[in-house]
Amino acid sequence: MNEQIKSAQDKMNKCLAALGREFDTIRAGRANPAILDKVQVDYYGTPTAVNAMAAISVSEARVLVIQPWDVSALKNIEKAIQASDIGITPTNDGKCLRLAFPQPTEERRKELVKQVKATGEEAKVTIRNARRDALDKLKAMKKNSEITEDDMKGLEKDLQKVTDKAVEDVDAAVAVKEKEIMTV
């Protein structure tokens, strides 16, 4: 496979991986430790991820337990969670924090589905941009007589197949997340 197509495919795969991480942070009513991935705690003057300074576990379907290794950091973790956009106030029992995820309303579920679809569309745009960049490089190679017209057509078809596969993967990921959100 041509290195331009390989490069475009790598960019598309990175986009799909980023989409998966983004979907993990979207709260669908179930407790998911990935929701805390973006939360940074001021720990002795250094911004630190919550999962780097505490054990995070799911005790029940809708309850997340955060047990810091350094109990003195409990207050800082609590403040960071309250300041984040998670929208859940943690319960502090002196040793650990508990995040109880409420059942989202029908309206909130629809908002989340819109957010998921918008994120999916952004991923598709990124994939199409990777295709366009690879196509531009292939056209430059043809102009410089590095590849023939027939090679160009074949490589365009291969690039389109890779792009179509990536777009299908995005659609599938969006459908799975949408189903997860809408499940009561």
Side-chain angles (χ1 to χ4, degrees):
M1 190 184 298
N2 185 288
E3 74 177 57
Q4 304 304 333
I5 295 175
K6 191 76 173 150
S7 172
Q9 189 172 25
D10 289 344
K11 288 179 185 176
M12 291 175 192
N13 289 339
K14 287 178 185 175
C15 175
L16 290 168
L19 181 69
R21 286 190 303 274
E22 184 68 29
F23 281 176
D24 285 345
T25 63
I26 295 176
R27 187 164 57 96
R30 284 191 210 95
N32 183 354
I35 199 137
L36 297 172
D37 286 352
K38 293 181 181 177
V39 178
Q40 296 288 313
V41 180
D42 185 32
Y43 189 60
Y44 295 110
T46 306
T48 310
V50 174
N51 57 6
M53 57 190 297
I56 302 171
S57 60
V58 180
S59 66
E60 298 170 30
R62 299 192 183 281
V63 179
L64 202 59
V65 177
I66 304 160
Q67 194 162 11
W69 293 301
D70 180 4
V71 180
S72 65
L74 197 62
K75 286 284 186 199
N76 290 345
I77 295 172
E78 185 177 12
K79 287 178 187 174
I81 291 171
Q82 288 172 339
S84 71
D85 62 351
I86 293 175
I88 298 174
T89 305
T91 307
N92 187 343
D93 69 3
K95 293 180 182 175
C96 64
L97 295 172
R98 295 185 194 286
L99 289 175
F101 288 77
Q103 183 80 12
T105 63
E106 186 69 24
E107 186 177 307
R108 177 69 179 142
R109 289 177 194 273
K110 289 179 181 175
E111 283 177 31
L112 288 171
V113 167
K114 283 182 186 176
Q115 181 182 349
V116 164
K117 287 182 179 180
T119 305
E121 282 304 315
E122 290 172 19
K124 287 181 188 179
V125 168
T126 304
I127 288 168
R128 290 184 195 115
N129 286 342
R131 177 188 64 189
R132 185 197 62 224
D133 293 345
L135 207 51
D136 289 347
K137 289 177 183 172
L138 289 173
K139 287 179 182 175
M141 289 173 72
K142 182 184 172 300
K143 186 176 181 182
N144 295 337
S145 300
E146 294 174 36
I147 58 174
T148 65
E149 183 77 36
D150 291 340
D151 291 341
M152 177 73 177
K153 293 291 183 196
L155 291 171
E156 279 180 5
K157 284 182 182 176
D158 292 346
L159 182 60
Q160 188 60 46
K161 285 178 187 173
V162 168
T163 304
D164 291 344
K165 172 77 172 93
V167 168
E168 284 176 23
D169 290 347
V170 168
D171 289 338
V174 168
V176 167
K177 190 64 178 181
E178 184 178 348
K179 184 179 180 199
E180 177 188 329
I181 290 170
M182 294 309 286
T183 301
V184 178

